[in-house]
């Protein structure tokens, strides 16, 4: 008897942080995944294989699986703690694996509701965009007021993800913005307006290249919000100087990854690797 579940990671294309305050945002599932395999075991449920030794994995398993009777194997091609939705991806993979173990499929609503429990535990007051994207796949406009989403016709979009080399803590960053909300409200609203402009372009059939001016502005506003870092700013400038139409942090910031929109993603990745910046092509995933 076995249960298997798989879920992608994600990038936030526009609107991180503002989405916590009711603004719509755009995200896209990417072709890096977490896979979970469940087999029976005597005694308490426990992780027997994992990509990293981290108490958060244990906690996620405790929140989403029965306390006894399962051996859990976790495999991942998704960098962890880089704003790529690794916790949401693990949560949804666990929900799918348990359903598969029980001989059924987990539908979107079940994945969303159960993963929200884990996301609240890890992120405090999450908007839900991470696990909505991971559970639905593809590219979407996420409306936190539903919460609901609308699919976006982004086709086979290929972004470049450049790793800043450090992890940002989503809970700390979101709380930091909240603590300064009286002075930051207009920046949050400006990010919301930029996201609406991106959404209008994409829903009209445009590409991320058409939305490049707004994506660049989004990064400027994220800096004004205080969630960018010197390293991220330097990587953004580096990517723009090498022909990227736009580059911005993706996710909570404070580290994590920079996403770049470039005509030749493989060339930019090769260039980044040559310059000592870990990078990969992040393609949209179903
Ligand atoms: O967990 P991350 O790094 O992908 O960030 C999530 C996006 C935020 O807008 C910062 C938080 C949220 O819950 O939407």
């Amino acid at each position: 008897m076995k249960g298997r579940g798989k879920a992608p990671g994600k990038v936030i294309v526009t609107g991180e942080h503002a989405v916590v305050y009711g603004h719509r945002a755009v995200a896209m599932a990417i072709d890096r995944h977490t896979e979970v395999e469940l087999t029976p075991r005597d005694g308490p449920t426990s992780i027997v294989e994992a990509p990293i030794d981290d108490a958060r994995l244990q906690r996620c398993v405790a929140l989403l699986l029965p306390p006894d009777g399962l051996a859990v194997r976790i495999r991942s091609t998704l960098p962890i703690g880089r704003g790529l939705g690794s916790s949401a991806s693990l949560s949804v993979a666990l929900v799918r694996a348990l359903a598969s173990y029980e001989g059924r499929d987990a539908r979107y609503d079940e994945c969303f509701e159960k993963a929200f429990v884990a996301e609240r535990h890890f992120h405090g007051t999450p908007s839900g965009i991470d696990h909505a994207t991971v559970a639905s796949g593809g590219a979407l406009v996420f409306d936190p007021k539903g919460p609901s989403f609308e699919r976006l016709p982004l086709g086979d979009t290929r972004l470049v993800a450049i790793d800043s080399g450090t992890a940002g803590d989503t809970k700390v960053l979101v709380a930091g913005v909240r603590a300064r909300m009286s002075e930051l409200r207009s920046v949050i609203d400006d990010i919301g307006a930029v996201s609406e402009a991106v959404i209008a372009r994409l829903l009209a059939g445009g590409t991320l290249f058409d939305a490049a001016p707004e994506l660049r502005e989004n990064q400027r506003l994220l800096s004004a919000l205080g969630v960018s870092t010197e390293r991220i700013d330097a990587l953004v400038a580096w990517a723009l100087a090498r022909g990227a139409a736009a580059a911005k942090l993706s996710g909570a910031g404070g580290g994590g990854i920079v996403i770049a929109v470039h005509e030749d993603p493989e060339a930019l990745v090769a260039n980044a690797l040559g310059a000592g910046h870990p990078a990969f092509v992040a393609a949209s995933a179903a």
Side-chain angles (χ1 to χ4, degrees), residues 177-243:
V177 170
R178 188 177 298 281
R180 295 171 56 220
M181 192 37 55
S182 53
E183 59 181 294
L184 293 177
R185 172 61 69 180
S186 68
V187 181
I188 287 287
D189 290 344
D190 287 350
I191 293 176
V194 161
S195 295
E196 286 303 324
V198 173
I199 291 165
R201 284 191 195 277
L202 298 180
L203 285 175
T207 67
L208 293 181
F209 290 94
D210 299 314
E214 287 85 10
L215 297 180
R216 292 197 301 269
E217 176 63 3
N218 192 348
Q219 171 59 25
R220 197 190 65 73
L221 291 165
L222 286 163
S223 286
L225 207 57
V227 297
S228 195
T229 63
E230 269 180 38
R231 173 87 182 135
I232 290 172
D233 291 345
L235 287 174
V236 166
W238 180 91
L240 293 175
R242 276 146 196 88

Side-chain angles (χ1 to χ4, degrees), residues 4 10 48 64 73 109 123 151 166 175 178-179 182 184 200 275:
R4 284 209 172 87
K10 67 97 205 29
V48 295
L64 296 171
R73 288 183 176 76
D109 286 348
H123 293 160
R151 289 203 178 277
T166 57
R178 188 177 298 281
S182 53
L184 293 177

Side-chain angles (χ1 to χ4, degrees), residues 3-286:
R4 284 209 172 87
K6 185 175 174 182
K10 67 97 205 29
V11 293
I12 295 181
V13 174
T14 180
E16 46 274 271
H17 287 286
V19 70
V20 175
Y21 297 91
H23 293 286
R24 296 198 297 170
V26 175
M28 181 180 97
I30 61 167
D31 59 344
R32 296 279 184 129
H33 294 86
T34 309
E35 282 183 79
V36 170
E37 188 183 281
L38 304 177
T39 48
R41 94 183 274 270
D42 292 330
T45 292
S46 64
I47 298 174
V48 295
E49 181 185 334
I52 52 164
D53 182 16
D54 188 320
R56 282 173 300 178
L57 300 188
Q58 206 69 54
R59 192 69 198 130
C60 208
V61 165
L63 285 166
L64 296 171
L65 295 184
D68 292 306
L70 294 171
V72 186
R73 288 183 176 76
I74 302 169
R75 299 181 189 110
S76 177
T77 54
L78 189 62
I80 291 163
R82 294 293 195 266
L84 289 165
S86 55
S87 66
S89 178
L90 173 61
S91 296
V92 172
L94 284 167
V95 173
R96 287 182 175 154
L98 182 59
S100 144
Y101 191 80
E102 294 167 355
R104 58 189 185 86
D105 282 333
R107 300 168 70 107
Y108 171 82
D109 286 348
E110 179 181 355
C111 291
F112 185 82
E113 291 309 325
K114 290 188 172 164
F116 219 159
V117 174
E119 288 292 280
R120 280 202 186 96
H121 179 81
F122 291 113
H123 293 160
T125 54
S127 64
I129 190 171
D130 281 22
H131 62 285
T133 310
V134 163
S136 70
L140 51 86
V141 178
F142 178 76
D143 185 346
K145 290 192 177 120
S148 61
F149 69 86
E150 185 178 348
R151 289 203 178 277
L152 272 175
L154 269 187
D156 56 351
T157 296
R158 295 159 66 71
L159 293 166
V160 174
I162 310 171
D163 192 340
S164 72
T166 57
D169 184 326
T170 301
K171 197 171 188 171
V172 171
L173 286 149
V174 169
V177 170
R178 188 177 298 281
R180 295 171 56 220
M181 192 37 55
S182 53
E183 59 181 294
L184 293 177
R185 172 61 69 180
S186 68
V187 181
I188 287 287
D189 290 344
D190 287 350
I191 293 176
V194 161
S195 295
E196 286 303 324
V198 173
I199 291 165
R201 284 191 195 277
L202 298 180
L203 285 175
T207 67
L208 293 181
F209 290 94
D210 299 314
E214 287 85 10
L215 297 180
R216 292 197 301 269
E217 176 63 3
N218 192 348
Q219 171 59 25
R220 197 190 65 73
L221 291 165
L222 286 163
S223 286
L225 207 57
V227 297
S228 195
T229 63
E230 269 180 38
R231 173 87 182 135
I232 290 172
D233 291 345
L235 287 174
V236 166
W238 180 91
L240 293 175
R242 276 146 196 88
K248 63 179 280 291
L249 69 82
S250 177
I257 54 142
V258 165
I259 53 168
V261 181
H262 196 281
E263 290 287 358
D264 188 346
E266 279 75 17
L268 188 62
V269 166
N271 210 331
L273 295 175
H277 311 312
F280 63 93
V281 174
S284 55

